[in-house]
């Protein structure tokens, strides 16, 4: 893996993430696809895991950065797996 790119081989296709410049976003390139449906399934799995990781990071960051006058009144996992945090301010 270089500092600017990463390639993953899923057996049914490959994905390359590459950043063309330090200040630019990563681009995703899909190639060598042998089975489109299986490749799409792999991409959905990556997307789901990514969303879960972002949610977990955000959840823990919000909890660890509450102001001293804030406390968590309740937490609820909603039907779409998002998290509702209700705060009280003293």
């Amino acid at each position: 893996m270089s500092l600017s790119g990463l390639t993953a081989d899923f057996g049914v296709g490959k994905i390359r993430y590459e950043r063309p410049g330090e200040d630019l976003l990563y681009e995703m390139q899909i190639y060598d696809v042998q089975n489109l449906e299986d490749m799409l399934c792999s991409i959905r799995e990556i997307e789901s895991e990514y969303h879960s990781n972002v949610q977990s990071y955000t959840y823990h960051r919000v909890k660890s950065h509450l102001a001293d006058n804030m406390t968590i009144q309740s937490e609820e996992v909603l039907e779409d797996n998002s998290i509702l945090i209700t705060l009280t301010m003293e």
Side-chain angles (χ1 to χ4, degrees):
M1 179 178 111
S2 71
L3 294 177
S4 65
L6 170 71
T7 299
D9 186 341
F10 291 90
V12 294
K14 296 178 183 176
I15 297 177
R16 174 133 181 99
Y17 295 96
E18 192 162 18
R19 187 165 56 173
E22 199 169 302
D23 296 338
L24 300 173
L25 298 175
Y26 279 88
E27 297 174 356
M28 181 175 81
Q29 302 157 355
I30 301 168
Y31 60 99
D32 291 343
V33 176
Q34 299 162 18
N35 183 308
L36 182 58
E37 286 302 315
D38 288 346
M39 190 67 196
L40 290 173
C41 183
S42 294
I43 291 169
R44 285 187 206 103
E45 288 176 20
I46 292 170
E47 180 181 41
S48 176
E49 187 66 27
Y50 173 77
H51 288 177
S52 178
N53 288 335
V54 168
Q55 179 179 356
S56 178
Y57 173 82
T58 304
Y59 170 77
H60 291 291
R61 181 127 172 112
V62 166
K63 285 183 68 172
S64 68
H65 285 80
L66 292 177
D68 291 337
N69 65 338
M70 295 179 171
T71 56
I72 296 175
Q73 180 179 341
S74 66
E75 298 178 44
E76 181 182 356
V77 177
L78 304 178
E79 199 171 298
D80 66 354
N81 284 331
S82 60
I83 301 172
L84 174 64
I85 301 174
T86 306
L87 305 173
T88 57
M89 296 179 69
E90 301 168 356

